[in-house]
Amino acid sequence: MARTKDLELVIRHVLAGLGHGIHAGRERGAGVEFSEYRAYAPGDEWRRVDWKLLARADRYFVREAERDSHVAVWLWLDATASMSEPSREINGIDKLWFARTVLACVAAIAQRQSDAFGLLVCTDGKVEFTPASRGPRQLQRVLAALAKAEPRGQLPSAETLRASLHFARAPSMIFAASDFLDWPSPLSEALLRLRNMRHDVRLLTLRTQAEVDASFKSGAGYRDPEQVDGLHRMSNADRESYKQQSRAHFDSVAGSCRKNNIVHYEARIEQPLSGVLRSWLQLAGARATK
């Protein structure tokens, strides 16, 4: 999977047999009215195909419906320089690869559920914005934007992010993937603001196995990719202190999420992606049923 740049191929592999969506579907029942036909596209549900029209036209068409209300799904990708941190166990995988791929899978699920979905990418001090829409073409737009994201610079300023929250006028679900090495930060403030606005916010914190257990090569030098200068070396004596400070930081992230009723899941990029996605969605679903 790490060797391919074809996100659609990875999505098909990861979502095979996943068995559930982002939220309860509402296609059947009151408020669902026929709108129009459109040509069938890969990923559409077979139960929405009009079989009578197929017999007459010898082509597959899907029935589109208008619904009284929709849940908009927003994908939020941290593509700052720290997301370039690679796995030291699996070649070809870094935090950004994992984050963009898991969000691509969420986009595919949203498309299957006929939800509107859009994308925000934080990179190099700015926000790249893909407006929300529905359908297979929207999925292609979002996948293209995810694929071209590169880890650059720092997070946008608080003012820049605050100005980007114009998308949050209607109720929505926000899926954000980051390493959250900076907390509090402009990003965390924006996400907490969205939660205070009654949006459903779900965070995925990504770490490498080396970051978790401090298994960096002894004596090697490491430079913070988001800082101009500063070279850090880790000795054997530093490992325990590093692990304690790191754990305290991510405990504070989890605690802040619990306090604000935000779904939070922490994963290592060496874990199977399908398992991480399943656990993240199930954790969110468990909260929704309480």
Side-chain angles (χ1 to χ4, degrees):
M1 290 171 60
R3 292 188 179 96
T4 179
K5 296 184 178 180
D6 187 342
L7 278 176
E8 290 188 84
L9 178 63
V10 177
I11 288 170
R12 287 198 296 272
H13 175 76
V14 173
L15 296 189
L18 191 64
H20 58 79
I22 297 173
H23 61 83
R26 294 177 298 181
E27 278 195 297
R28 296 191 179 93
V32 181
E33 296 181 358
F34 173 73
S35 174
E36 62 181 359
Y37 288 107
R38 64 168 172 79
Y40 173 84
D44 288 331
E45 298 180 33
W46 285 107
R47 64 185 176 88
R48 295 173 57 199
V49 172
D50 191 305
W51 301 105
K52 293 182 179 179
L53 186 58
L54 169 65
R56 295 197 304 270
D58 197 31
R59 289 182 60 193
Y60 291 103
F61 287 93
V62 172
R63 294 172 61 90
E64 290 280 34
E66 294 287 348
R67 290 184 278 184
D68 288 338
S69 61
H70 291 279
V71 176
V73 176
W74 287 96
L75 314 172
W76 200 318
L77 175 66
D78 177 356
T80 55
S82 68
M83 295 293 284
S84 65
E85 179 68 22
S87 167
R88 300 175 194 277
E89 299 180 6
I90 304 175
N91 292 332
I93 290 181
D94 58 21
K95 291 179 182 177
L96 184 61
W97 180 94
F98 200 101
R100 70 151 62 95
T101 308
V102 76
L103 290 179
C105 291
V106 175
I109 296 172
Q111 191 267 319
R112 291 180 182 183
Q113 293 188 175
S114 299
D115 290 318
F117 57 100
L119 172 68
L120 291 88
V121 178
C122 290
T123 184
D124 202 18
K126 60 182 183 298
V127 178
E128 297 177 353
F129 185 76
T130 302
S133 187
R134 298 180 178 84
R137 290 185 179 179
Q138 173 67 358
L139 181 60
Q140 296 305 313
R141 284 190 286 268
V142 168
L143 295 186
L146 286 169
K148 76 175 185 179
E150 296 183 4
R152 293 176 178 169
Q154 300 182 15
L155 288 169
S157 67
E159 292 75 16
T160 299
L161 283 173
R162 195 176 300 115
S164 301
L165 300 185
H166 57 81
F167 69 87
R169 297 188 181 94
S172 57
M173 301 168 64
I174 293 95
F175 289 81
S178 171
D179 55 15
F180 293 112
L181 291 176
D182 292 324
W183 188 291
S185 69
L187 176 58
S188 69
E189 291 173 6
L191 293 169
L192 291 174
R193 182 180 180 87
L194 287 168
R195 181 62 192 137
N196 291 333
M197 295 165 64
R198 313 297 294 177
H199 297 283
D200 186 349
V201 180
R202 309 177 179 194
L203 307 187
L204 178 65
T205 295
L206 296 174
R207 306 177 68 190
T208 68
Q209 187 64 51
E211 289 176 327
V212 172
D213 55 26
S215 57
F216 302 104
K217 186 181 297 183
S218 182
Y222 299 94
R223 190 181 303 278
D224 185 340
E226 296 185 12
Q227 301 297 328
V228 176
D229 53 14
L231 188 66
H232 308 278
R233 295 185 184 277
M234 179 173 291
S235 66
N236 289 329
D238 295 328
R239 294 184 193 279
E240 193 57 36
S241 175
Y242 167 85
K243 288 170 68 175
Q244 291 178 0
Q245 293 182 45
S246 176
R247 188 66 266 165
H249 170 78
F250 288 105
D251 283 347
S252 71
V253 174
S256 179
C257 289
R258 285 194 300 271
K259 179 180 178 181
N260 291 278
N261 196 24
I262 291 175
V263 170
H264 173 257
Y265 186 73
E266 182 179 313
R268 300 181 305 279
I269 65 174
E270 291 83 5
Q271 292 177 266
L273 196 147
S274 57
V276 171
L277 177 63
R278 183 187 301 273
S279 297
W280 193 22
L281 294 179
Q282 286 178 341
L283 186 65
R287 186 190 72 175
T289 58
K290 291 181 179 179

